[in-house]
Amino acid sequence: MKTKILVTCFVMTTLLAFLLIFPSWGNNAPEDSYDVLIKNGKVFDGSLKNAVNADIAIRRDTIVKIARSIKGNANTIIDARGLYVSPGFIDLHTHVDRNMYFPENRAIFNYLKQGVTSVVVGQCGGSAWPILEKAEDQIKRWTEEGIVPNAALLVGHGTVRQIVMGMENRVPTPEELEEMKALVKEAMDQGAHGISTGLIYLPGRYSETDEVIELVKIVAPYKGIYHTHIRDERNRLLDAVTEAIEISKKTNVPAHISHFKVMGKENWGLVKDACTLIEQANSEGLTITADQYPYQFANGNPYRSPIPRSTWVGDREVPRLSSSDINMIFDHLRDAQLIDLYTKITPYIPLNEHHKQYLDEMPRQRLVELVGRSLISTGDFSGPDNARSRMLFLKRINDPKEAAKIQGEITEYIENLIGADRFIVGICVEKNLEGKSIKQVADLKGISIADAAIELELMGAKIVPLQMCEEDIEYIMKKSYVGTGSDGVAPYYGIGLTHIRSYSTFLHKIKKYATQRKSVSVPHVIRSQTALPADIMNWQDRGWIKEGYKADIVIFDLDNIKTKTSISNPHQYSEGVEYLIINGKMVLDKGDWTGILPGKILKPNMP
């Protein structure tokens, strides 16, 4: 017995001595052993300081050491000689949740190739989960199945309103308001960072300021944030910014203005007055911030017809398909038949219990509308590729009196919108016209602006209006409270039309505005894409290259950034990001995806 005690004491003493000599042994690695070691890079830490030469050591998901030179062993050693190292880029405004729902797009390569490591989703009033589900459904799905970038979820005011009130244009009853507040609280309890509004979209447009205030109040105890696509980005920009400030003041919740800009040449310059409003509010103790994408054209699908819809449609007495007609097609079906149809067309399969419950409880008329719009769109029957719509337009254009009216309306529309010299042909069967303005097309063909617009429309050309100006873009970019938000999506590669911002925002901002135009410094852009958005979202362990911070890191070739997108070919990956690390895991290795899904759902930092 005595011998056993002596042996036990000897073993324990030896083990204690070992731990004192190698204190990190309990973490399964000696102090000079790391998972990843980044050597010889020029490091931007997220501040406004210039890059400095430094090595960075990572153990598991955390930066554990930063020094001029680090000696030690590592599972992976990256020689970043000639490259720049930065915190991973944080996208403050995306709509990638729509397609990231599906496993095919969980990696969202278009963002990885830009150096993005975290995204904020659920923007413009649309929740970051399908309307028929709950925050916990999306969180569970992405946690179990995996995602590549980290994601922070917002609850959408428009989604909440639609669940409770449908698409009705009215003030909610007290009972409906309480139901909406309960849904917002539920989302916050489940892990949402805050609430978003899309006050320019339906049904958000139907809401009054007081309704929004009452819902934003719900996120205050959670230290949540209010993201808003403000009510107007044109001539009433100042009123819209004032409303956002008012909501922040009356709720004590930070307000963040999405894709801050002003559209329409008659409104250019208003951003200066809008910035004055923001700065005055911040000087009074509020927290008002914004993000921007650095392009002169807007909308997820930026291609726009040069012919106003009212002009194309013309005679309103000619019968045309309406949503009421579509609803009538399905109105005779029983609820069970409608739900059966829905289950055969929805991509959200298999339906979870929350989804099924919502369908079962949905009012009859809204169920009919849901199925109807899921199967048939009135837009399919109104463009130049629809034989009936095209025939009606050509019949009118062949009438001299009607043709003169049409040409006048088109000319006025183009001039009032942006001008024929800023309406650019993106995609056209006549390839020599791509990149030219409508004015240049008219001059080339020796025809009027209106006739050029008609010819382009009838051949199916896709045209982009440049509605913002460079002066405004650069003015906004220089502000210390403006971060970067792409407003982009996770498209199926090569399928459909999309804004080039989905493929190039972050590297484009560095290359064009910092290294080429020198509108701002490289550290300024880096901060706007790292430390600033982390601060806006109240993330206390991301957005910086600092010891103890999470290892979300991008390593890029500053001198060889290539943004290959164009309005004629938007589906082009950017180049220049050599390595991308998310939560300590190598996601891009020499520009290639390693196949892993290390992203996390980021939960709010509660007080």
Side-chain angles (χ1 to χ4, degrees):
M1 182 68 178
K2 187 175 181 179
T3 302
K4 289 183 178 180
I5 293 173
L6 289 172
V7 170
T8 301
C9 289
F10 175 77
V11 171
M12 293 299 294
T13 302
T14 303
L15 179 59
L16 179 60
F18 188 86
L19 288 173
L20 289 172
I21 297 171
F22 302 105
S24 62
W25 180 81
N27 293 328
N28 300 317
E31 194 169 326
D32 62 349
S33 180
Y34 310 103
D35 291 309
V36 180
L37 184 56
I38 303 170
K39 301 280 293 181
N40 308 314
K42 298 177 182 178
V43 179
F44 292 107
D45 65 0
S47 71
L48 292 175
K49 297 177 183 177
N50 289 324
V52 297
N53 295 322
D55 293 353
I56 301 170
I58 299 167
R59 191 173 291 130
R60 289 184 293 281
D61 66 350
T62 302
I63 298 170
V64 295
K65 189 173 182 179
I66 304 169
R68 178 65 183 83
S69 179
I70 299 175
K71 299 185 184 302
N73 300 314
N75 296 329
T76 301
I77 297 176
I78 299 173
D79 185 359
R81 194 183 310 274
L83 303 176
Y84 286 81
V85 183
S86 160
F89 300 146
I90 298 169
D91 196 327
L92 280 164
H93 186 104
T94 78
H95 296 279
V96 299
D97 45 296
R98 295 173 184 172
N99 272 3
M100 238 175 90
Y101 178 96
F102 309 108
E104 176 185 354
N105 274 6
R106 297 281 165 78
I108 52 172
F109 295 127
N110 51 315
Y111 280 87
L112 298 188
K113 296 287 189 177
Q114 298 180 62
V116 173
T117 56
S118 298
V119 294
V120 183
V121 294
Q123 297 285 2
C124 295
S127 290
W129 49 93
I131 191 171
L132 303 171
E133 299 187 5
K134 296 182 182 296
E136 64 184 10
D137 296 325
Q138 189 74 299
I139 291 171
K140 182 176 185 291
R141 179 183 299 110
W142 284 352
T143 300
E144 292 180 352
E145 298 179 10
I147 54 176
V148 171
N150 303 306
L153 279 58
L154 299 174
V155 55
H157 160 254
T159 299
V160 168
R161 199 178 208 274
Q162 188 175 347
I163 288 171
V164 176
M165 301 175 59
M167 302 298 286
E168 295 186 31
N169 182 5
R170 60 176 175 82
V171 174
T173 66
E175 293 76 19
E176 288 169 335
L177 184 58
E178 288 303 312
E179 189 176 348
M180 286 194 282
K181 289 163 71 172
L183 287 171
V184 173
K185 184 179 187 304
E186 175 186 76
M188 296 303 293
D189 286 337
Q190 292 176 5
H193 265 73
I195 186 171
S196 75
T197 55
L199 300 180
I200 201 169
Y201 302 119
L202 299 178
R205 192 189 311 166
Y206 297 148
S207 63
E208 296 182 358
T209 305
D210 287 345
E211 174 188 323
V212 179
I213 288 172
E214 289 304 307
L215 296 178
V216 174
K217 282 180 180 178
I218 301 301
V219 312
Y222 300 85
K223 299 298 181 184
I225 188 170
Y226 170 52
H227 283 244
T228 178
H229 181 142
I230 54 179
R231 209 175 286 270
D232 194 284
E233 294 176 329
R234 294 183 179 274
N235 62 317
R236 296 190 63 193
L237 175 69
L238 302 185
D239 292 338
V241 171
T242 298
E243 181 184 34
I245 293 170
E246 178 189 356
I247 291 168
S248 176
K249 186 173 184 178
K250 290 185 177 179
T251 60
N252 196 30
V253 171
H256 182 79
I257 297 172
S258 300
H259 36 64
F260 187 30
K261 61 183 179 293
V262 70
M263 295 190 289
K265 61 182 179 180
E266 71 278 9
N267 303 316
W268 292 346
L270 278 180
V271 294
K272 296 178 181 178
D273 294 328
C275 286
T276 299
L277 292 174
I278 292 171
E279 289 153 19
Q280 178 63 35
N282 286 336
S283 71
E284 294 172 358
L286 298 181
T287 301
I288 312 296
T289 56
D291 61 64
Q292 79 167 160
Y293 54 82
Y295 298 98
Q296 294 183 66
F297 47 100
N299 301 322
N301 179 343
Y303 306 92
R304 187 162 177 171
S305 170
I307 301 177
R309 177 168 172 76
S310 59
T311 299
W312 177 265
V313 171
D315 189 353
R316 293 290 178 177
E317 294 183 3
V318 176
R320 295 179 187 272
L321 190 71
S322 69
S323 57
S324 296
D325 296 323
I326 294 172
N327 293 340
M328 185 173 60
I329 296 171
F330 298 96
D331 197 34
H332 71 284
L333 298 176
R334 299 190 306 274
D335 287 5
Q337 291 174 308
L338 289 168
I339 293 174
D340 181 60
L341 263 180
Y342 175 82
T343 60
K344 292 174 180 176
I345 58 174
T346 180
Y348 303 119
I349 50 174
L351 302 185
N352 68 21
E353 291 307 312
H354 289 142
H355 202 143
K356 293 176 183 176
Q357 179 184 351
Y358 186 82
L359 287 171
D360 289 338
E361 296 175 355
M362 184 177 287
R364 164 74 186 179
Q365 189 55 39
R366 283 165 57 185
L367 181 60
V368 171
E369 292 170 358
L370 172 66
V371 174
R373 68 173 176 265
S374 297
L375 280 166
I376 303 174
S377 170
T378 56
D380 296 336
F381 301 86
S382 62
D385 55 343
N386 177 267
R388 184 179 196 282
S389 183
R390 186 184 185 96
M391 180 272 293
L392 290 171
F393 179 80
L394 288 173
K395 182 178 179 180
R396 290 168 51 231
I397 203 71
N398 287 326
D399 180 301
K401 183 178 179 180
E402 189 71 9
K405 179 184 175 184
I406 289 172
Q407 290 171 329
E409 289 176 354
I410 293 173
T411 303
E412 181 181 9
Y413 168 74
I414 291 174
E415 183 57 34
N416 289 343
L417 179 67
I418 204 62
D421 58 332
R422 292 182 63 85
F423 232 130
I424 310 300
V425 179
I427 301 172
C428 186
V429 66
E430 295 184 14
K431 293 300 180 183
N432 65 306
L433 301 183
E434 292 183 349
K436 292 182 169 57
S437 68
I438 291 180
K439 184 178 186 309
Q440 289 173 318
V441 172
D443 291 344
L444 183 67
K445 291 178 173 285
I447 56 180
S448 69
I449 296 295
D451 284 339
I454 292 169
E455 187 172 324
L456 288 165
E457 180 77 356
L458 291 174
M459 71 171 73
K462 307 300 180 185
I463 310 175
V464 176
L466 306 182
Q467 298 194 68
M468 286 85 81
C469 69
E470 287 287 8
E471 182 181 353
D472 283 354
I473 291 171
E474 293 183 350
Y475 186 86
I476 291 170
M477 187 179 295
K478 293 174 182 178
K479 296 301 180 179
S480 63
Y481 49 85
V482 176
T484 306
S486 68
D487 199 11
V489 298
Y492 299 117
Y493 184 58
I495 301 295
L497 299 176
T498 189
H499 197 297
I500 65 175
R501 64 195 181 196
S502 295
Y503 283 88
S504 55
T505 293
F506 290 83
L507 296 183
H508 170 74
K509 188 173 180 180
I510 294 172
K511 181 176 181 178
K512 178 176 179 178
Y513 292 96
T515 65
Q516 293 180 345
R517 293 173 69 97
K518 301 189 185 304
S519 312
V520 288
S521 68
V522 174
H524 179 95
V525 175
I526 297 295
R527 175 184 173 272
S528 79
Q529 300 180 169
T530 58
L532 176 61
D535 183 55
I536 289 170
M537 295 303 296
N538 194 28
W539 296 340
Q540 298 167 11
D541 59 354
R542 298 181 194 270
W544 289 84
I545 300 291
K546 286 183 179 181
E547 292 180 5
Y549 273 60
K550 297 301 181 185
D552 292 345
I553 296 173
V554 57
I555 303 173
F556 61 98
D557 187 343
L558 181 63
D559 298 323
N560 288 293
I561 290 174
K562 295 179 182 177
T563 52
K564 301 164 71 175
T565 53
S566 70
I567 57 175
S568 298
N569 191 0
H571 292 278
Q572 294 289 306
Y573 293 128
S574 294
E575 296 179 1
V577 173
E578 296 297 318
Y579 302 93
L580 192 67
I581 298 169
I582 299 178
N583 294 313
K585 304 296 185 182
M586 186 84 76
V587 175
L588 290 184
D589 185 353
K590 296 181 180 178
D592 295 326
W593 183 41
T594 60
I596 63 172
L597 303 166
K600 298 181 182 297
I601 303 298
L602 303 181
K603 300 291 185 70
N605 293 313
M606 294 297 292

